[in-house]
Amino acid sequence: FQLYEHAATVPVESYNRQDWQRGYESLKQEFDYWIDDVEGEIPQELQGTLFRNGPGLFDRNGQRVHHPFDGDGMICSIAFQNGRAYFRNRYVRTQGFVEEEKAGKFLYRGVFGTQKPGGWLANAFDFKLKNIANTNIIYWGGKLLALWEAAEPHRLDPHTLQTVGIDYLNGVLHPDEAFSAHPRIQKDRLINFHIKPGLSTTITIYELDRSGKLVDRHAHSVPGFAFIHDFAITPNYCIFFQNPVTFNPLPYVLGWQGAGECVHFNPGHRTRIIVIPRHPVAGGSKGRVKKAVQILEAESGFVFHHANAFERENKIYIDSICYESLPTVDPGADYRQTDFEALSPGQLWRFEVNLENQTVRRQMLETRCCEFPSVHPANVGQPYRFLYMGAAHTAQGNAPLQAILKIDLSSGERQLWSAAPKGFVSEPIFVPRSNATLEDDGWLLSLVYDSARHRSDAIVLDSRDLNKGPVARLHLQHHVPYGLHGSFTPQ
Ligand code: 3ON
Ligand code: FE
């Protein structure tokens, strides 16, 4: 394990909660500017645009959201051009955002417990969803799309970030059909899904080509309620983890809680791994054979994000960030008072699925608290060597993400760059250098909230050597609240 330089100068507690909290202040202004305050040098070869999504607004009229995932989606773009970079941020003009801007208060309930003002009577029997478009942003089929898993994508202008409107992907989506926030891109395909939970759950899978045209769509019903945020793919399979949860909607119906708060983890219950063939109908000599969905059981845990999956020697391997239980915010509590130590950390596990004898084995690959995994885009669904993640500064326990961790899965070597004690990181996005031959040759881009200055930095790390620290640190003129996911488009 490689140690990093500043280890000795950081106090035992690697952060202070007041510092961390301020990263959840709303950013109400929208900016456009060349980033002139740069430490180090932006690589000339780094050309393209980083798009990031995440909640940006956490309060209206003095009322705070109950959970950060309820905040309206705000897009940031950083366009890298000949060694310079241009920043822009815009809220997605969803119907709910526009109406609430006009009203100056919350008009919709949030999935994660934000209620309309007026107490439970004002909220009871109101099942309208506010599509907050806050989870991911991708450029595909000539469209820039802001994603939120419970509803349709919003299209934006990639240059101005102006909202065009809800987008049905040229008729791929029916009205009110959701499109998850975790598409996977493999070669010339974008593969995504949508979940319709109920007593049994329908999983719909889409495959789109580079032009955005639908090339495959199939739906499957699996027993039981499912809350599935992400999935993994290999050349032959889509893999979903059905976390052991139950849904008791009564508090939601009666206006006491959000729908997401009615999802309860069942400790000790097994996780189901749902394996769906990507090409479910195969044409054999005897006609069309429908390949079945297989459901296997693994030890108990809760997974939001998968790092990657691949097939090797008749087995499927899935690397995922797994929690001992679903982290939640109690109904009366303030999420900014989170007692990190009371929650279980996300840790990296490798699941080995053997379809022949229908068994699953799992093995922990990394004990350090981590989230937001990222790999080389060409290795999605393939055997791979390097994994990048946001991670806690300290090796043990649960804490906010303050570091970027690189794992070499073949040698076990780790590299860690830490922004502690004042910095808090977001998802690292790996951008390969063009014409590179090594899997880790490129850059990692991330936004770091610097609580010492209440401003954020966009950082560029050399992904071959994290220990030397950022090659460029772009000081923004303001802070950017902790975000969720994003992507890089080389244009
Ligand atoms: O009955 C269903 C229950 C449910 C939960 C109905 C439903 C489809 C409306 C639903 C909605 C789910 C939604 C909207 C989920 C949205 C999730 C989201 C916005 C983000 C998830 C983020 C996950 C993680 C692990 C984030 C980690 C963040 C950090 C470590 C620090 O910033
Ligand atoms: Fe996610």
Side-chain angles (χ1 to χ4, degrees):
F1 210 106
Q2 295 204 359
L3 283 177
Y4 36 94
E5 279 168 51
H6 310 296
T9 64
V10 174
V12 179
E13 180 91 303
S14 68
Y15 67 99
N16 141 335
R17 197 159 64 187
Q18 279 76 45
D19 290 343
W20 168 75
Q21 281 176 359
R22 293 196 65 200
Y24 279 124
E25 273 179 26
S26 300
L27 177 63
K28 296 188 178 174
Q29 252 178 291
E30 296 180 317
F31 295 86
D32 292 85
Y33 58 92
W34 284 102
I35 307 169
D36 288 321
D37 188 1
V38 178
E39 269 176 73
E41 234 170 283
I42 301 173
Q44 289 281 339
E45 283 177 271
L46 177 60
Q47 301 269 357
T49 306
L50 173 72
F51 292 108
R52 306 223 22 135
N53 198 352
L57 195 77
F58 303 94
D59 64 290
R60 277 196 192 275
N61 199 25
Q63 187 192 344
R64 290 198 60 92
V65 295
H66 179 64
H67 194 289
F69 299 167
D70 276 346
D72 290 286
M74 185 192 79
I75 311 300
C76 294
S77 69
I78 300 179
F80 294 91
Q81 224 178 75
N82 309 323
R84 295 192 72 198
Y86 192 88
F87 179 89
R88 185 176 271 124
N89 73 306
R90 289 290 183 279
Y91 279 91
V92 186
R93 264 52 180 192
T94 65
Q95 188 195 329
F97 178 85
V98 172
E99 290 172 358
E100 291 183 341
E101 278 288 284
K102 209 174 279 169
K105 59 177 183 188
F106 289 124
L107 300 172
Y108 289 85
R109 306 173 72 183
V111 170
F112 292 95
T114 307
Q115 301 288 52
K116 296 188 284 182
W120 66 272
L121 267 175
N123 288 277
F125 302 104
D126 179 353
F127 308 125
K128 281 193 300 290
L129 270 182
K130 178 170 69 154
N131 179 345
I132 55 177
N134 74 355
T135 313
N136 201 351
I137 178 146
I138 51 156
Y139 187 75
W140 189 262
K143 292 177 180 178
L144 183 66
L145 301 164
L147 306 176
W148 185 64
E149 71 196 62
E152 310 92 329
H154 279 80
R155 182 175 179 187
L156 293 100
D157 180 303
H159 302 289
T160 62
L161 297 184
Q162 252 174 30
T163 305
V164 178
I166 283 189
D167 196 275
Y168 295 99
L169 311 177
N170 311 326
V172 169
L173 302 178
H174 308 140
D176 289 328
E177 192 170 276
F179 195 64
S180 111
H182 278 287
R184 298 272 165 185
I185 294 167
Q186 192 189 36
K187 297 208 178 80
D188 285 326
R189 292 268 192 283
L190 178 137
I191 305 124
N192 201 8
F193 66 96
H194 127 236
I195 298 289
K196 200 164 186 290
L199 292 175
S200 65
T201 295
T202 308
I203 302 177
T204 306
I205 293 166
Y206 313 84
E207 298 211 9
L208 309 182
D209 70 11
R210 287 250 167 225
S211 70
K213 207 176 117 240
L214 186 73
V215 284
D216 229 330
R217 176 192 172 117
H218 39 104
H220 308 268
S221 177
V222 296
F225 174 83
F227 171 31
I228 300 176
H229 175 71
D230 189 9
F231 77 145
I233 57 152
T234 66
N236 293 299
Y237 301 101
C238 292
I239 302 120
F240 298 85
F241 278 35
Q242 187 177 17
N243 298 303
V245 295
T246 42
F247 184 61
N248 308 110
L250 200 63
Y252 169 58
V253 172
L254 297 179
W256 302 338
Q257 288 185 8
E261 291 174 293
C262 299
V263 175
H264 298 283
F265 187 75
N266 300 321
H269 289 229
R270 291 164 79 75
T271 295
R272 287 190 198 148
I273 299 183
I274 303 166
V275 180
I276 303 180
R278 277 194 41 201
H279 313 290
V281 182
S285 56
K286 295 196 186 91
R288 286 152 77 83
V289 193
K290 198 156 190 287
K291 293 193 233 155
V293 173
Q294 300 180 67
I295 301 178
L296 299 95
E297 290 201 339
E299 272 154 90
S300 183
F302 191 95
V303 170
F304 279 105
H305 295 128
H306 301 287
N308 202 6
F310 57 93
E311 295 169 31
R312 195 165 60 198
E313 291 158 7
N314 286 324
K315 295 195 186 85
I316 306 172
Y317 294 85
I318 308 118
D319 295 344
S320 316
I321 313 281
C322 191
Y323 297 80
E324 259 167 43
S325 96
L326 167 64
T328 51
V329 178
D330 290 338
D334 178 348
Y335 67 88
R336 291 171 305 160
Q337 304 302 330
T338 299
D339 177 4
F340 280 89
E341 285 297 332
L343 300 171
S344 63
Q347 293 165 311
L348 180 71
W349 290 79
R350 173 161 289 181
F351 294 81
E352 180 193 280
V353 172
N354 183 330
L355 291 179
E356 259 152 47
N357 55 23
Q358 297 279 302
T359 55
V360 180
R361 291 198 306 190
R362 67 169 199 176
Q363 178 200 354
M364 204 189 291
L365 296 184
E366 176 59 60
T367 53
R368 184 187 294 263
C369 167
C370 49
E371 254 303 345
F372 298 136
S374 165
V375 302
H376 190 302
N379 289 77
V380 172
Q382 302 293 332
Y384 71 117
R385 180 165 169 192
F386 295 106
L387 174 62
Y388 314 94
M389 299 184 287
H393 173 81
T394 29
Q396 255 117 48
N398 187 43
L401 306 177
Q402 294 190 281
I404 310 279
L405 175 65
K406 172 188 179 186
I407 303 186
D408 178 338
L409 294 162
S410 345
S411 72
E413 189 208 325
R414 265 86 167 150
Q415 290 178 0
L416 187 91
W417 173 77
S418 175
K422 293 292 179 184
F424 299 89
V425 308
S426 65
E427 175 186 65
I429 294 175
F430 176 78
V431 180
R433 188 193 304 274
S434 49
N435 306 319
T437 50
L438 297 170
E439 188 188 315
D440 62 343
D441 192 2
W443 303 279
L444 288 168
L445 307 182
S446 185
L447 289 177
V448 181
Y449 170 63
D450 176 4
S451 61
R453 300 182 307 123
H454 189 52
R455 297 254 196 287
S456 294
D457 294 335
I459 57 158
V460 182
L461 287 160
D462 175 346
S463 43
R464 299 217 58 213
D465 184 6
L466 268 51
N467 297 325
K468 73 179 179 204
V471 294
R473 210 184 239 277
L474 290 63
H475 296 296
L476 304 183
Q477 299 175 6
H478 45 81
H479 84 296
V480 175
Y482 302 127
L484 290 166
H485 306 288
S487 55
F488 185 85
T489 304
Q491 51 187 289

